[in-house]
Amino acid sequence: MTGNDSRRHSIMQMHLHRYTYYHQLILLILAVGLLVALPTQAATLTAEQAYQKGKILHFQDRFEEAEPYLLQAGESGNASAYYLIGDGVDGGYINILAAMSTKEYTFMKLAAENGHLLAMLRLVYYKSRASQSEKERWRNKLRQVLKPHAQSGNPLALSFLSGVALSEEDDGENFEYAVKAAYAGHPRSQYYIASEYENGEGWFFLPGSREKEVAKLYEASARGGYHDAIWYVGVTKVKAGETEKGMQILNVLIDKGDASKISTLGLMLSDLPDFDEEWVYDDKILGSTYMRASAIAMSDSDDTFQFFNEEAISLLTAEENQQVDQLTEEYLRTHTVYRQDGLDEFEYTVDNLHTALERWGGNAIE
């Protein structure tokens, strides 16, 4: 090693030490602060119980309340818990164009280092705080992990490879992997490709074949448990006059406690002005009940749920309002309401990726 090389190596080691020390210090400060604020009942929870409680609070937009529980779970080796802490920094919404904060980066990196696949993807997107060399390292790691699974037809591995291509702005490969994921059985990809075909993407030579393929993809996505697809299929049937069948499908989402779907269906059923003129079914008591349940369950940080609840209340008589109160209480006694999509892809890691083939392989489309 030359003198210059030796000096360069020493400087790199020094910066690496500073970098590692800096992030360890951040974690120590966060950990101490959160442990001081740790709710009394958290001390009696196992790591898994803490994770489940933190996860629900996170998806009720109660990010500060969720954080101590998730930190407890993360320190016990739960990579998804670290991911959710990082995800909560931006209000629980993935925005690959928004600049990543230091805290988000710290916890995404912790999750990625523990094998979390979506965290690795978040670190390679455009606005990640990761350096270019770090981004490339995570891309290589993702390819190394995902490609063997993709060759075996793993739907989630194919979908994540689509995300890797997106991070490199390779639209062709991004779409190609999304199509492969869809036909391998991945519900979110099926929904995405259905909407792309519906909007004119792809070539279909026989009359009516495009419409048949779109319907097939939406149905498969709903069958695979993706809530947006279940919503699409149910609403489409109600609008087509199959009200009973459509409402049976939508009730799947009500039973699961999907906050955004409950609130939206409540709005459509209520006496508030319809935002979809083709919707033909109303039930203001049921609609008001759904909006009230969402408003009670979800954090006040997003006043959308509360706004629509108050609007619906203004259209009820005192007797109707009392009835809605009773129905809401009964519903919340047996249901937990929070944001969800039915797939929970944020819980997949290097170690459990193989289970996605078992979960969705049977949902493949010929």
Side-chain angles (χ1 to χ4, degrees), residues 190-259:
Q190 290 168 335
Y191 184 86
Y192 166 65
I193 296 302
S195 63
E196 288 292 297
Y197 286 169
E198 194 172 31
N199 290 320
E201 186 70 44
W203 292 92
F204 294 86
F205 298 103
L206 296 177
S209 59
R210 178 184 295 276
E211 291 76 12
K212 289 180 181 178
E213 199 66 15
V214 167
K216 182 166 66 174
L217 283 160
Y218 277 133
E219 290 283 354
S221 180
R223 188 171 60 247
Y226 187 41
H227 286 193
D228 282 0
I230 296 171
W231 173 266
Y232 176 91
V233 172
V235 168
T236 299
K237 290 191 180 298
V238 172
K239 287 160 67 171
E242 300 179 62
T243 303
E244 184 175 352
K245 190 170 185 179
M247 288 300 296
Q248 284 178 348
I249 293 170
L250 293 174
N251 278 334
V252 170
L253 303 177
I254 303 302
D255 287 340
K256 290 182 177 295
D258 185 328

Side-chain angles (χ1 to χ4, degrees), residues 16-279:
L16 179 60
H17 176 74
R18 285 178 179 173
Y19 173 83
T20 304
Y21 174 77
Y22 173 68
H23 283 86
Q24 286 177 340
L25 183 61
I26 289 175
L27 284 174
L28 179 60
I29 293 169
L30 287 169
V32 171
L34 289 171
L35 287 173
V36 168
L38 190 66
T40 303
Q41 64 267 31
T44 65
L45 300 180
T46 65
E48 177 59 22
Q49 289 171 335
Y51 171 69
Q52 294 299 331
K53 184 172 182 64
K55 179 175 73 172
I56 296 299
L57 288 169
H58 173 89
F59 288 109
Q60 289 178 332
D61 298 344
R62 303 175 190 273
F63 305 112
E64 291 185 4
E65 293 178 56
E67 206 163 293
Y69 296 102
L70 294 173
L71 185 65
Q72 178 186 342
E75 289 174 341
S76 297
N78 190 319
S80 298
Y82 281 143
Y83 174 82
L84 290 179
I85 293 174
D87 183 59
V89 174
D90 282 334
Y93 296 97
I94 298 176
N95 184 353
I96 64 174
L97 299 178
M100 182 178 279
S101 70
T102 300
K103 180 179 177 181
E104 180 184 0
Y105 171 69
T106 298
F107 281 99
M108 286 298 165
K109 188 173 180 183
L110 264 176
E113 289 171 343
N114 281 276
H116 196 276
L117 295 167
L118 267 180
M120 294 182 200
L121 273 177
R122 292 278 281 268
L123 288 171
V124 303
Y125 283 141
Y126 177 61
K127 290 291 188 177
S128 165
R129 294 181 73 91
S131 66
Q132 289 304 315
S133 61
E134 187 184 353
K135 287 179 181 178
E136 195 54 39
R137 179 167 65 84
W138 286 119
R139 284 194 190 97
N140 290 337
K141 174 69 173 178
L142 281 163
R143 292 190 189 98
Q144 177 188 356
V145 170
L146 297 172
K147 283 194 172 181
H149 288 276
Q151 289 167 0
S152 300
N154 187 305
L156 187 60
L158 289 162
S159 174
F160 283 168
L161 282 170
S162 175
V164 174
L166 177 63
S167 77
E168 298 179 299
E169 300 182 10
D170 188 336
D171 293 339
E173 189 172 73
N174 167 244
F175 190 75
E176 181 182 344
Y177 272 121
V179 170
K180 288 179 179 179
Y183 285 89
H186 184 244
R188 187 190 303 276
S189 297
Q190 290 168 335
Y191 184 86
Y192 166 65
I193 296 302
S195 63
E196 288 292 297
Y197 286 169
E198 194 172 31
N199 290 320
E201 186 70 44
W203 292 92
F204 294 86
F205 298 103
L206 296 177
S209 59
R210 178 184 295 276
E211 291 76 12
K212 289 180 181 178
E213 199 66 15
V214 167
K216 182 166 66 174
L217 283 160
Y218 277 133
E219 290 283 354
S221 180
R223 188 171 60 247
Y226 187 41
H227 286 193
D228 282 0
I230 296 171
W231 173 266
Y232 176 91
V233 172
V235 168
T236 299
K237 290 191 180 298
V238 172
K239 287 160 67 171
E242 300 179 62
T243 303
E244 184 175 352
K245 190 170 185 179
M247 288 300 296
Q248 284 178 348
I249 293 170
L250 293 174
N251 278 334
V252 170
L253 303 177
I254 303 302
D255 287 340
K256 290 182 177 295
D258 185 328
S260 61
K261 300 300 188 292
I262 292 170
S263 180
T264 305
L265 182 59
L267 176 61
M268 295 167 70
L269 289 170
S270 73
D271 281 349
L272 293 171
D274 289 332
F275 57 84
D276 187 339
E277 294 180 357
E278 296 180 32
W279 181 261

Side-chain angles (χ1 to χ4, degrees), residues 262-300:
I262 292 170
S263 180
T264 305
L265 182 59
L267 176 61
M268 295 167 70
L269 289 170
S270 73
D271 281 349
L272 293 171
D274 289 332
F275 57 84
D276 187 339
E277 294 180 357
E278 296 180 32
W279 181 261
V280 295
Y281 179 62
D282 292 323
D283 184 331
K284 71 174 181 179
I285 298 298
L286 191 59
S288 298
T289 298
Y290 290 158
M291 282 189 283
R292 190 162 305 177
S294 300
I296 291 172
M298 299 300 290
S299 167
D300 291 337

